Structure formats: structure tokens, C-alpha cells
Amino acid sequence: MDEANLLMGVQATVSELGQLINGTLVTSGQSIPVVNPSSGEEFARCPAATVEMVDTAMAAAAAALPAWSARPEAERRAVIKAMADAIGANYATIEEITALEKGASSIALEALAAPWFGNHIAEQELRVDIIEDSAERTVKVVRAPFGVVAAIIPWNAPILILAEKVFSALLVGNTIVAKPSPFTPLATLFVAKIWKDLVPPGVVNILAGDDEVGKAMVAHPTTRLISFTGSIAAGRAIAAAAAPGLKNVLLELGGNDAAIVLDDVDPKKVAQRIFDSAFTGHGQVCAAIKRVYAHESVYQGLVDELAVIAHERAATMIPVTTKPQFDRVSELVTDALDHGGKAVAGGAPAEGSGYFYPPTIMTGVGPGVRVVDEEQFGPVLPVIPFSDVEWAIEQANATEYGLCGSVWTSDIAHGEQIAARLECGTAWVNQHTEIDPKIPFGGVKSSGIGRNNGQVGLDAYAELKTVIVYKDRERV
């Protein structure tokens, strides 16, 4: 489909969208602009929720909670599966919308992962832990719902992260009010439309809007759990807002993932995998490699290989999704160059319109330079040499971030020993950046609170409730 027809089709779809509240699509008459990062120009207006709509959605979620949480577990699972399958059945339209919202249809592959996650969650066990089962009594721990969940979704993988949050919450018996990023709201509202008749009214509510809508969701007295994926700054603000009401928080925040490359690797063998991790989604992935520490004996070979790949990929690069992030990437590279750094590939915005920035490999930088110390969340990778692996481990841990890390080596046992010392939520040996609905994911330190995915991730949406039953009827 050519761009003009694509635009017409998406705009026609947008005209049918609204906020999903209590089983109905509603509009306020207000809208927010949505920009195509490939051109830097507005291509659509998204229906916007008002702060008053938050009250309505929260009331609907609260009213739907008793019946949904009491619904047989098998029926809840069937609803989740139908919702997941609906995303898969409508993938082509989601891809079209995403191609404009995010500037590249290839990133829409995250929408393909959403049905995978949904079908896994629909079949995941809601554990009951038996502590004691004697002649006198049974003691068990069950998973009970928190109540109403407020979920706030980032712009980099909106459909996948929406699906993971909504399906996990629903399986436990919660109801939910969710909000996408104002940068990428359209695909999420389209998903709301296809879910409208699949889930009972009020169980799932989806609102698109500005930050004030998100703040109202977080502060609302009905909210019992806030599930947020995004920046550390926003996560801190959410935690502070949740504190007065002692609300539960599940926070998956930023990362500045380090990869440590030891002296026993072949740079030609590992360069492609390291590059693919660092530049997945054009670097706009929380669990991507953000900095590489390479042993001095393999450093130059690795840099040379990464530069070759970067030059090859420049012709097929996708844009940075948002203007603020594009400006930040540009600022960090300029700062590195001003502090003696060298861009052996990339190093400046691409010419022309849109938010295009080529894959950039930086050398000559180290601790104290922002591109090393801060999360870039874009197509930039600093590579830093080391002679002492203890120094590399120290540098990898010398940050407030603690999301992921990796070690690359031919000595698996040694690699595992080093990985165990990395202060992060996920540590790989000879791999970096992968998602799997059965593998828990989350950060330590400022990179988050709690875990998504797997049994631990499901428990994040549950109150662990102890039930003790005495069996002797003569006691009463």
C-alpha cells in the first residue's frame, strides 16, 4: 500500500475510535496530535479523554470488579484468549497504524508478540500454595485480586506491554483502566475497539490523553495497583503519588545495560549479536545493550566489526519515535564529541525530514561522559576498552540503573560467575535482549520495583491471601 492510501485508511479508522469506558466507545470532543516520526509532521488527531472521564472509568471498573473476580477462572481465561486472538486477527490494521505512529511498520512486530503473551497468560497457573494439610486444618496461600489496576503504557512497545498488563491483571480477577502514551495512542484505541464486545463492560477501560489523565489515574482513590513502564523520573513521581494511599506499585523503569566482552571471544562472531541487541527497535528498547566494555585485546576488532554493520544498516534505518527522544540522542552524541569522543559510524542526524539518526558507534569516551553514564534509549552505542575485568564489573555496576547486563565469553562457567556479580534484574551469558512470557523481567535499584512475566509477574497483580480452615466441626 502506498503512503497516501495508507494515510487515508488510517485516518478513516481513527474516525471510528474513542475511549473505551464501561463497554462503550465515547468521545469528549477533544483531541491530541499524533506525529509521524518519518516526516516529523502531524498526520492525525487522536480522540482525547478528559480528567472527568477518569472518574467515570474508575467507577465502571469498580462496579465490574465483584462479578469479574467471582467469575469462574475458566471463563476469565477464555475471555483473555479471545482478546489475544483478536489482536492477531487484526494485526494488518494494527501494523498500518503503527507504521505511521512509530515511523516504521517493522516495529509493529511487537504486536505479533501480544497474542503469544496473551495465550500464555490464559493458560498460566493461578497457584495455590499448600502450607499445611493435616487432619486438624488446611493452611494455604491463594492469589486474590487487588481491585482496580491503573496501567500506564510507554510509546516504544504499546500493544505488547498493554497486552501483558491487561491480561495479567484480568487473570487474577482485577479490573483495569489503561492509558497509552500520547505519542502512540492510536493503535491502542484501535485495540480497545476490537476488545469492546469481547470483555464485560467496565472490566477493561482504555483512555488516551495527556499526562494529566495519567496523573488522575494514579491519584484516584479507587486505584489499588499502579502498573507503569517508562522512565525513572516518571516512576519516582508515581511512587510518590502512590505513597499517601499506600497503593501498590509495579514499576519497570529505565536501564543502562552493560555488556562485558572478555578476551577469549572472536569479535567477528559476537559483533552481530551485540549490534542486534543494542539497535533493536533502533535502540529504543529498555533491555537493549547501552554500553559495551571490551577487553583491550579484542576491543579494536569489535569496534571495527560494529562500525561495518552500522554503515550497512544506515541505509535501512528507522526513525527515532519522538521528537524529544531524537533531540536527546543528538544532545548526548554532541556532548560526547565535545568531550573527546569519536563517532566511528554515524554521529550526526540524517539529512532531510523526520527524526532519523543513523546507528552510531562511539569510542574515546568513558565514565563521566553522559553517553556512558545515562540511558540513551536510541541508536547510540559507546564501546569502552578495559584491561582488568574487575574494573569492567565495577563500571557496569557504578550506576543507579539495574535492569539488565551480559557477559560474552568462551568460558561459560567464568561468564556465569561474572554475571552473578552484575547488579541487575536479568543477566545473560552470550546473549542480551530477549522477551518471553514465562521468564520474569524487571530491574533493581532505580530500574524498578517488582517483576513482569512468569509466575512472579502474575503474583505482582495479586494479593497473597492466607486461608486457614479448621476441619473439626465440633469446634463450633
Side-chain angles (χ1 to χ4, degrees), residues 262 264 407-419 429-430:
L262 301 188
D264 58 354
V407 183
W408 300 76
T409 178
S410 297
D411 187 338
I412 304 303
H414 188 207
E416 189 170 359
Q417 291 172 354
I418 295 173
V429 177
N430 297 333

Side-chain angles (χ1 to χ4, degrees), residues 5-194:
N5 288 332
L6 174 62
L7 181 59
M8 289 177 59
V10 168
Q11 288 174 336
T13 300
V14 170
S15 68
E16 302 172 353
L17 302 181
Q19 321 305 316
L20 178 58
I21 302 177
N22 203 24
T24 303
L25 297 182
V26 300
T27 58
S28 66
Q30 300 183 18
S31 64
I32 54 177
V34 185
V35 172
N36 181 350
S38 290
S39 65
E41 297 178 355
E42 177 183 322
F43 73 92
R45 303 287 302 186
C46 177
T50 63
V51 169
E52 290 74 24
M53 284 179 170
V54 174
D55 288 330
T56 307
M58 287 291 175
L65 178 65
W68 177 252
S69 61
R71 194 163 181 166
E73 186 180 310
E75 293 183 13
R76 296 204 300 270
R77 295 179 186 278
V79 170
I80 293 168
K81 189 176 189 310
M83 294 168 72
D85 290 345
I87 293 177
N90 289 274
Y91 170 75
T93 302
I94 294 171
E95 182 180 36
E96 291 174 357
I97 298 171
T98 303
L100 292 174
E101 279 193 309
K102 298 175 73 175
S105 60
S106 62
I107 306 182
L109 292 175
E110 53 104 359
L112 285 179
W116 171 38
F117 270 63
N119 282 286
H120 174 85
I121 292 169
E123 298 174 0
Q124 194 164 340
E125 180 185 9
L126 268 183
R127 281 178 45 186
V128 175
D129 299 327
I130 304 299
I131 309 301
E132 179 183 333
D133 189 17
S134 64
E136 179 186 17
R137 65 180 185 174
T138 298
V139 181
K140 58 186 176 181
V141 176
V142 301
R143 273 69 182 170
F146 280 112
V148 177
V149 175
I152 300 178
I153 317 300
W155 49 260
N156 65 321
I159 304 306
L160 174 59
I161 295 175
L162 172 77
E164 186 274 327
K165 292 182 187 297
V166 169
F167 298 151
S168 298
L170 295 191
L171 179 57
V172 178
N174 302 285
T175 55
I176 193 164
V177 179
K179 175 191 173 299
S181 164
F183 290 108
T184 55
L186 295 175
T188 302
L189 286 192
F190 177 75
V191 170
K193 178 186 174 185
I194 66 176

